Amino acid sequence: MPAPAPFTTRYVRDEEHYAEVLLRAREAKQTLWIGTADLKDVFVMRGRRARPFLGELAELIERGVSVRLIHAKEPGPNFRRDFDRYPILATGLERVLCPRVHFKLLIVDLQAAYIGSANLTGAGIGMKSDGKRNFEAGIWTTEPQLVAAAVAQFDAVWMGAPCETCRRRKYCHDGIE
């Protein structure tokens, strides 16, 4: 039997996003970076109960995981209500609002990444029922070059590299640079 590959890349589609991507965020040991255009109140199963994904992020932060989030627009009232249920998020979640972000990335420990089309919404990557999900596609990978490219793109935006030449600065409320 041949030795296992040193890395993996797996195509993820439709309903697999929840199981193959979102739940992997729980496995983060040091860092979790999330990039999304749209952001809503996403739920995950914890035992037999559904709970906000923000609860998972709060637990990661409590364990010492550095969680960074880049998103393009302010989330709605349901997200804000869930956010307020976890006070550690107000001080522990590192967040940047950039109206130009359209990538969808989830990077775990700088070693594995989701690169795809699904926003951090119920219909995109969450627990929506059949008939209410978006048609999504992406890859989950540990291939070093792909992960490095995702990390570099996320980090460049995080550090404000594109801000100097951005033509939408008047819409940017975080002032990254």
Side-chain angles (χ1 to χ4, degrees):
M1 183 163 216
F7 59 85
T8 60
T9 299
R10 180 166 146 49
Y11 177 71
V12 181
R13 63 186 174 87
D14 298 335
E15 70 282 348
E16 294 174 334
H17 278 82
Y18 173 71
E20 294 294 323
V21 179
L22 194 58
L23 295 180
R24 289 180 187 244
R26 295 177 176 172
E27 300 170 4
K29 304 286 186 256
Q30 297 173 334
T31 60
L32 176 64
W33 292 0
I34 302 169
T36 185
D38 197 6
L39 182 62
K40 293 185 179 172
D41 57 329
V42 174
F43 285 77
V44 296
M45 291 304 292
R46 180 51 80 133
R48 293 189 296 176
R49 295 183 44 168
R51 74 179 247 181
F53 180 64
L54 289 168
E56 301 295 320
L57 297 182
E59 284 186 13
L60 289 171
I61 293 167
E62 288 169 356
R63 289 194 337 242
V65 175
S66 172
V67 180
R68 291 183 172 177
L69 171 65
I70 301 175
H71 57 104
K73 62 183 180 179
E74 288 293 345
N78 291 337
F79 179 93
R80 292 177 175 278
R81 187 176 51 250
D82 290 340
F83 187 92
D84 290 343
R85 291 175 51 193
Y86 305 98
I88 196 167
L89 295 175
T91 57
L93 177 64
E94 300 176 77
R95 188 183 68 85
V96 166
L97 183 69
C98 175
R100 298 293 302 265
V101 165
H102 200 262
F103 55 63
K104 286 73 172 185
L105 301 171
L106 189 140
I107 304 167
V108 176
D109 294 329
L110 308 178
Q111 300 294 314
Y114 165 75
I115 305 164
S117 65
N119 281 306
L120 193 60
T121 65
I125 204 166
M127 292 178 41
K128 286 285 184 181
S129 61
D130 289 342
K132 294 185 178 182
R133 296 182 137 312
N134 294 340
F135 304 122
E136 306 286 1
I139 61 168
W140 177 261
T141 187
T142 60
E143 196 281 314
Q145 289 180 312
L146 290 174
V147 174
V151 167
Q153 183 179 28
F154 186 100
D155 198 46
V157 173
W158 185 264
M159 298 303 292
C163 294
E164 186 67 31
T165 58
C166 180
R167 293 185 179 172
R168 295 190 53 87
R169 290 178 69 149
K170 65 183 177 181
Y171 303 104
C172 186
H173 303 290
D174 274 357
I176 299 169
E177 80 265 33

